[in-house]
Amino acid sequence: MKQTMTNLKQLIRAGRGIVPAHTVIVNGNLVNVMTSEIYKADVAIYEDTIVAVGEVKDYIGEDTKVIDADNKYLVPGLIDGHIHSECSKLSITSFAKAVVPCGTTSMISDLDEYISVSGLEGLNEIFEEVKASPLKVFWGAPYKTPYTFPQSTVSYNFTKEVHENVQKWPECFGVWETVREAVTEEDENTLGAIVEASKNRLPVFGCAPMARGKELNGYLCSGVRLDHESYDHEEVVEKMRKGMHMLIRESSVTHFLKENIRAVTEVNPYLARRVSFCTDDVTATDVLEKGHLDNLVRLAIKEGVEPMTAIQMATINSAEAYRIDHLVGSISPGRIADILFVDDINTFNVEKVITNGKLVAENGRLSYELRAPKRSSVLTSQLKCKKTTKEDFEYKVDIKDGKAKVLSMNVKGPFVRKRRDVVLDVKDGIVQPDINKDVLMVSVLERFGRNGNKSLAFCSGWKLKKGAMASSAAPDDNNIIVMGADAEDMSIAVNHLIENGGGQVVVADGKVMEFLPLPVGGIASDLEPAEIARLENIINKAANELGCELPEPLMYMFFLPITAIPDYAITDVGPVDCIALDTFDPILELMEN
């Protein structure tokens, strides 16, 4: 409820038992994450707010709905502390359908992918969608857009001047994912966002993979409160010893929990109270097969974390880290009524979900029909770029025939790309990709109609034997990324996306093998999670049939434009050295016959 004098008085009266509760939960075992206790307790709810915990018979009126918990454990709704839900290819509505039945009732996000394709106008449409959803989004204003160094092209640039406005919005709970390089390079828009946050007493959320020593010290002096990205448990320990809240990430492609939880299980158990969880980027397939935050709770327990501690990591720890514990994170009077019914805290199977005081999910499914809103042209506009030809994806050089020594961006997992020097043939002035040497062409095309940029470079690790694949969903800027062994197939893939308003596609021998449409901004879909999962599996299988052995071929590909990932990336302005924070020429040497 929006806070007014009238409803505040009603809540206080409800808390005193003067006004009857709308809903009462009886016969439950309360998991009190504030005190690390489990005990018998009932819960009284007025509208969307918990008003009493313990003995609540005096709160039951003639019209009060009574829910029997049947001795189940009552657990606070789970909080994903850092997620780009757009990377699931699910709209907010579809994403809620997937994760709320798993017990995730809140997430912290900047919704930056929507901003990159539709600006503040599209963002406000998403805010309205969130209001109709059982899933809460605590929005952090992106420290800037685009996130890339050097700056790539997006439809809307988030600047320090924008922060002066949006940080005053009621939806804003902080500054999101402030990357270390932006701070240490003293980027004006980034520092401006931090200064504005200080004025507004908002927390600053961080992103500092592999930050240690002096670099970490300088970063922390900017006021960053927490971080979600550490590559080993020693990094976690150093950051926590220097005062940070830490989020342990377990995404669909980056499995860091097993390593990073060692900070708690092996180094210092007292660190646990300032550790929380996030998934960052997940697929519909992964959520439907494994679960969401509930899966992280189970994984932590498997690694030796006590069930109560694991539950705290998924609830109150995250709420406190983001300064939203007065709203969510515990089953306490005055908090929003987000409550899970769990069979056993050791196995952590979520049976029922209450959000905002209403039962919304049972046995792994929403218990009511949730419909996506009608989309305006802001979020359904076409890709604003010209059709391509095969010549757009041929790397031309100044010699006719010979050899070219090139730098190929070699994927070593989704969030590491290393340098690989390879000698390729040059024929008729064109550097030839080589499937036998595992070298493909990769390109990013600006798709917002702003400048028509196209880049071209070389990559390794996907092992395609032929064909191409492309995606208009590609964080951080969501331009079109295409990769392939054949320039003609690359052109067909890009043109198919342009013709169909965005999505993901796999092409071979001049024909479209599979296509996953993403009509919401070219990055998401309102389809049911199970249908998106089916299409994900089909399109990944198509990439596998072309020779790719990676577990998520298109997801690995669409991470390539992220310049915060070491050591190399590619955006519409060119291939990027992520250490030097500048573009580079992938042609190292030419040798003419």
Side-chain angles (χ1 to χ4, degrees), residues 141-149 151 158-161 163 167 175-198 204-207 219 222 224:
Y143 73 96
K144 71 170 192 173
T145 61
Y147 294 155
T148 46
F149 284 93
Q151 183 170 295
F158 218 94
T159 64
K160 62 181 185 296
E161 289 78 19
H163 273 275
Q167 285 192 26
V175 176
W176 167 274
E177 199 163 12
T178 312
V179 303
R180 174 172 59 94
E181 292 83 359
V183 171
T184 55
E185 292 295 311
E186 301 179 11
D187 173 74
E188 290 289 318
N189 282 314
T190 303
L191 300 188
I194 293 172
V195 168
E196 196 64 25
S198 178
V204 179
F205 318 145
C207 175
Y219 181 61
S222 71
V224 172

Side-chain angles (χ1 to χ4, degrees), residues 270-328:
Y270 292 102
L271 295 177
R273 196 58 178 81
R274 288 167 65 88
V275 170
S276 52
F277 294 140
C278 74
T279 61
D280 205 353
D281 309 295
V282 293
T283 63
T285 300
D286 220 33
V287 172
L288 295 180
E289 289 180 356
K290 299 177 183 176
H292 191 231
L293 263 289
D294 57 326
N295 180 49
L296 272 66
V297 172
R298 290 190 290 269
L299 289 175
I301 293 170
K302 183 179 178 181
E303 294 304 316
V305 176
E306 289 295 321
M308 173 62 78
T309 303
I311 293 169
Q312 288 173 323
M313 289 176 175
T315 57
I316 190 62
N317 292 10
S318 194
E320 290 179 349
Y322 284 98
R323 295 181 183 169
I324 54 175
D325 52 303
H326 61 299
L327 297 172
V328 294

Side-chain angles (χ1 to χ4, degrees), residues 36-71:
S36 300
E37 297 175 286
I38 299 175
Y39 50 86
K40 290 286 184 183
D42 302 332
V43 181
I45 301 166
Y46 181 83
E47 295 285 0
D48 62 357
T49 303
I50 298 165
V51 293
V53 177
E55 175 57 67
V56 300
K57 65 180 180 180
D58 293 339
Y59 292 79
I60 300 175
E62 188 176 321
D63 297 322
T64 301
K65 179 181 180 180
V66 178
I67 299 175
D68 189 345
D70 193 26
N71 290 313

Side-chain angles (χ1 to χ4, degrees), residues 136-158:
K136 293 172 193 62
V137 177
F138 292 93
W139 182 66
Y143 73 96
K144 71 170 192 173
T145 61
Y147 294 155
T148 46
F149 284 93
Q151 183 170 295
S152 59
T153 308
V154 292
S155 74
Y156 184 85
N157 294 96
F158 218 94

Side-chain angles (χ1 to χ4, degrees), residues 15 61 161 189 358-359 369 417 455 471 501 534:
E161 289 78 19
N189 282 314
K358 293 180 173 58
L359 182 66
E369 185 178 6
R417 279 93 61 156
S455 62
S471 176
R534 186 184 74 83

Side-chain angles (χ1 to χ4, degrees), residues 55-112:
E55 175 57 67
V56 300
K57 65 180 180 180
D58 293 339
Y59 292 79
I60 300 175
E62 188 176 321
D63 297 322
T64 301
K65 179 181 180 180
V66 178
I67 299 175
D68 189 345
D70 193 26
N71 290 313
K72 303 300 181 185
Y73 290 88
L74 303 181
V75 175
L78 309 182
I79 304 167
D80 193 326
H82 182 103
I83 183 166
H84 304 265
S85 64
E86 307 94 312
C87 289
S88 68
K89 300 180 288 295
L90 299 169
S91 67
I92 286 292
T93 300
S94 296
F95 191 72
K97 291 177 182 180
V99 303
V100 170
C102 300
T104 303
T105 58
S106 297
M107 69 181 192
I108 291 87
S109 179
D110 68 341
L111 305 171
D112 63 306

